[in-house]
Amino acid sequence: MSNTTCAMPDRRPSAEEILDTPLADLLAGLEVDLYDSKITDRTFFGAAGRRSTGQLFLALPSGRSDFETDTTARYLLAKAFDVDLPDLPPPFETTKL
């Protein structure tokens, strides 16, 4: 799959799909790439972005536990796809740019 030709899926996943699908399957099904971020600030928990092709990618801090990576990725996917899930508690904060 080429990152330059892959567009965003035309569907929005359900909350159940975001929460229950194994992460690798969820990312593949939504055509989302996951990268280790080079940002080392401990307050950075991750980011979602879109390429010019429309494809979504996630950038998460490296060195986090599998649980933290899984939870953060699912949360960012829910935000990116506008899936109605509760916000994370403070001090977590998301900003849409």
Side-chain angles (χ1 to χ4, degrees):
M1 175 168 61
S2 170
N3 291 340
T4 59
T5 61
C6 182
M8 281 293 293
D10 291 329
R11 66 175 184 83
R12 178 170 51 156
S14 67
E16 292 77 20
E17 185 177 1
I18 293 279
L19 295 174
D20 296 337
T21 304
L23 185 59
D25 296 341
L26 181 62
L27 293 170
L30 296 173
E31 300 179 13
V32 174
D33 288 331
L34 175 64
Y35 296 101
D36 285 337
S37 171
K38 296 190 185 317
I39 297 172
T40 57
D41 182 335
R42 68 177 190 83
T43 64
F44 174 73
F45 73 90
R50 289 194 198 274
R51 293 187 174 88
S52 61
T53 61
Q55 183 189 23
L56 185 69
F57 66 89
L58 302 179
L60 303 179
S62 60
R64 301 278 168 94
S65 72
D66 289 343
F67 177 78
E68 288 175 298
T69 298
D70 186 272
T71 303
T72 303
R74 290 175 192 281
Y75 182 75
L76 290 173
L77 287 170
K79 287 294 189 183
F81 283 100
D82 198 27
V83 174
D84 190 25
L85 290 178
D87 288 333
L88 291 175
F92 296 100
E93 183 178 311
T94 56
T95 303
K96 191 171 191 174
L97 303 175

